[in-house]
Amino acid sequence: MNKMKKIKISFSIFLLSIAMMAHANAGDIQGKVSTEANKTKYKANTIVFVEKVDGNFKPPAKNPEMNQKNLMFIPRVLPVVVGTTVDFLNSDDVLHNVFTPDGCAGKFNLGSWKKGEVRTHKYDKVGCNSVLLCNVHPDMEAYIIVLQNPYFCVTDKDGNFTIKNVPVGKYTIKVWNEKLKADSQEVIVKASGKVELNFNLKK
Ligand SMILES: [Cu+2]
């Protein structure tokens, strides 16, 4: 083997090991939330999250949006990393309001505003589960949950969730649902592969 070829091969091995290391430090936590037969509509919009991960996590560069459209808050539930500012957008032709009676979120009332306008609120208390209401439309309701880290997921309509790229370690995984009992399980994320995890939530 000539010298050039040797160098090329060792460089390829070097690149390959870097690629493998990037994947070896984290894994996905994947599973399903199920409920009692008469509560299946609550499988969706369950927040599954890692309670505590070492480190400090910054809020996302772009503020997550809570929309008011067709007389509904969209999304129904919004998990955010502590310190996140949420944009409240009115997409309807009517005036909407946003307020919360919950102390952990500062009992704010942002007033009322028209279509296309955005007002904001910063969520800075980890563990705060607060409701959002509109004083113009009493049926409107949504929830914002403030978490320590960005390793969270909202279940789809069938209760499926995947929390991606969780650093290797031992964690408590918690679930939050607006109508069902909170639950938790311990998991170990290893350097290889996925962790399977299922929850059966009770009223
Ligand atoms: Cu409204």
Side-chain angles (χ1 to χ4, degrees), residues 109-150:
N109 185 336
L110 300 178
S112 295
W113 59 98
K114 60 182 195 314
K115 190 175 189 172
E117 281 183 21
V118 171
R119 294 191 187 178
T120 63
H121 181 77
K122 186 176 175 181
Y123 287 83
D124 52 14
K125 286 208 173 60
V126 174
C128 180
N129 301 342
S130 64
V131 69
L132 290 175
L133 299 165
C134 168
N135 64 18
V136 186
H137 307 101
D139 289 343
M140 291 179 68
E141 195 172 307
Y143 297 89
I144 292 189
I145 309 302
V146 186
L147 302 172
Q148 179 259 345
N149 63 75

Side-chain angles (χ1 to χ4, degrees), residues 68 71 94-97 134-137 140:
Q68 292 176 293
L71 306 185
V94 295
L95 286 178
H96 283 298
N97 158 268
C134 168
N135 64 18
V136 186
H137 307 101
M140 291 179 68

